[in-house]
Amino acid sequence: MDYTKILNEISEELSNFNNPGKVASYIPELSKVDPSKFGVHLYCTSGTHHAFGDTQERFSIQSISKVFSLSIVMRLLGDDLWKRMDVEPSGNAYNSLFQLERENGIPRNPFINSGALVLADILVSEFDHPKDKLLNFVRNISGVPSIDFDEKVAQSEKHHGHRNAALANLMKSFGNIKNDISTLLDVYFYQCSIAMNCEELAKAFMVYANEGKILNNDEEILNPMKVQRINALMQTCGFYDEAGEFAFRVGLPGKSGVGGGIVAIHPEKYSVAVWSPKLNERGNSLLGMETLERLTTKTGLSIF
Ligand code: GLU
């Protein structure tokens, strides 16, 4: 497969794309990003990589980080985790409160905010330094020790995170949060603020394309069954209330974030990260989805 040629074609086709999307502004620090940024990085299990555009500039990975916290927690816990959250698509906004109340404080899945807050609660229970644990995990699987939190984004989110605080409090009232709420919110906000570029994200997600192993050194991060489950969750729940649309148009497991990043994987073939900050009305990168749809159409490869 000539991925370089395919990416060049996509870059050409989309060079004059009229993008009606909007940069996320509910976290003020995110609204400062240059909306015209656009980059794609594709990493193959064969070790080659292919890219175009702004692939070396770091951005806020936001909800993409939920895949990392889920991975750490799944390494620790067995099926007990699923007593505290479900594995169903929510069909609702990622920060919705009413479904959580109706379902007695049990989040629909780990990739909506309530699910990620329960994961943060577990990290606080299990580790003395949960934020370091998260950062070290990401640094290890990507092979990039300089990856870090973005302090300004974390602080901005902390000052505007009232809805996340509401979700955590609601779950605490149902007994599904064990720790002090401000402690787990702090972990969650820093987790969302992790800054990575497309190349680093594609490398990190290689674990999910490569049967749970780091490509360069074969270290097993997750056993094959856990990887399959995480990929199934990315497929069904990775795109807010647009997971069906993403499966329909793109057909790959993946995860997006309101920073405009999307990472997707084709098991045993490649991982691909795309960044374009303008979001559609469901919170997914508009140009990012368009790019990945063209990629899977042009390669003709499908997981289905
Ligand atoms: N930190 C964001 C929030 O909780 C994550 C949003 C996202 O990327 O989905 O609001």
Side-chain angles (χ1 to χ4, degrees):
M1 186 67 63
D2 192 344
Y3 289 110
T4 298
K5 179 167 167 275
I6 290 173
L7 289 188
N8 285 342
E9 278 172 27
I10 296 173
S11 155
E12 179 99 339
E13 288 167 14
L14 295 177
S15 58
N16 291 318
F17 185 78
N18 179 20
N19 190 342
K22 292 198 169 55
V23 170
S25 57
Y26 75 104
I27 302 167
E29 197 59 31
L30 291 184
S31 67
K32 296 183 181 163
V33 71
D34 175 352
S36 69
K37 293 288 175 188
F38 180 33
V40 182
H41 204 104
L42 186 144
Y43 217 90
C44 295
T45 46
S46 63
T48 60
H49 44 131
H50 315 266
F52 72 78
D54 302 307
T55 64
Q56 299 304 311
E57 188 170 326
R58 288 183 175 160
F59 58 93
S60 189
I61 69 167
Q62 292 292 315
S63 263
I64 296 170
S65 65
K66 290 169 181 161
V67 181
F68 302 139
S69 60
L70 176 63
S71 302
I72 297 172
V73 168
M74 280 180 71
R75 277 159 62 98
L76 290 174
L77 304 186
D79 282 344
D80 277 355
L81 171 61
W82 308 115
K83 292 182 185 143
R84 293 182 66 180
M85 66 183 71
D86 209 339
V87 292
E88 292 297 336
S90 70
N92 280 288
Y94 64 96
N95 56 8
S96 168
L97 280 153
F98 78 89
Q99 187 174 55
L100 189 61
E101 159 131 60
R102 213 178 44 222
E103 297 181 356
N104 303 319
I106 301 293
R108 272 288 172 110
N109 66 66
F111 294 151
I112 52 175
N113 282 16
S114 50
L117 289 164
V118 171
L119 294 175
D121 188 47
I122 295 168
L123 293 179
V124 172
S125 297
E126 298 285 335
F127 300 105
D128 290 340
H129 302 287
K131 291 193 278 187
D132 290 349
K133 181 74 200 175
L134 262 161
L135 211 46
N136 289 334
F137 179 82
V138 179
R139 288 171 175 170
N140 182 35
I141 62 169
S142 61
V144 184
S146 64
I147 290 170
D148 215 335
F149 301 120
D150 181 326
E151 189 64 38
K152 281 192 184 149
V153 172
Q155 291 307 327
S156 186
E157 189 145 359
K158 203 171 250 192
H159 291 123
H160 295 86
H162 311 300
R163 188 168 273 267
N164 285 316
L167 290 167
N169 276 289
L170 184 59
M171 289 190 288
K172 186 135 183 137
S173 78
F174 284 107
N176 200 15
I177 291 289
K178 315 289 179 204
N179 295 286
D180 170 60
I181 287 182
S182 62
T183 309
L184 70 97
L185 284 176
D186 180 66
V187 171
Y188 176 72
F189 294 143
Y190 272 88
Q191 162 193 328
C192 290
S193 85
I194 293 174
M196 292 170 77
N197 65 35
C198 286
E199 179 172 5
E200 291 161 351
L201 276 169
K203 273 170 131 178
F205 268 65
M206 187 45 81
V207 162
Y208 308 99
N210 189 40
E211 298 176 320
K213 294 193 215 110
I214 296 179
L215 192 64
N216 291 342
N217 62 13
D218 249 13
E219 179 187 344
E220 185 173 272
I221 300 297
L222 292 154
N223 70 35
M225 191 184 80
K226 289 186 175 169
V227 174
Q228 283 164 13
R229 289 186 157 179
I230 292 172
N231 289 348
L233 284 165
M234 286 201 272
Q235 183 77 58
T236 52
C237 310
F239 295 88
Y240 309 117
D241 44 344
E242 204 174 29
E245 178 84 8
F246 191 85
F248 188 79
R249 285 177 53 194
V250 178
L252 295 175
K255 184 73 197 83
S256 68
V258 294
I262 300 181
V263 198
I265 59 119
H266 195 305
E268 290 164 49
K269 289 202 161 49
Y270 63 77
S271 66
V272 59
V274 48
W275 176 43
S276 164
K278 284 185 173 182
L279 310 178
N280 65 19
E281 60 294 337
R282 298 279 175 83
N284 292 308
S285 171
L286 200 147
L287 186 53
M289 272 179 80
E290 184 68 35
T291 304
L292 294 176
E293 181 176 5
R294 285 173 196 244
L295 173 70
T296 50
T297 303
K298 283 174 188 290
T299 59
L301 298 172
S302 172
I303 64 161
F304 294 108

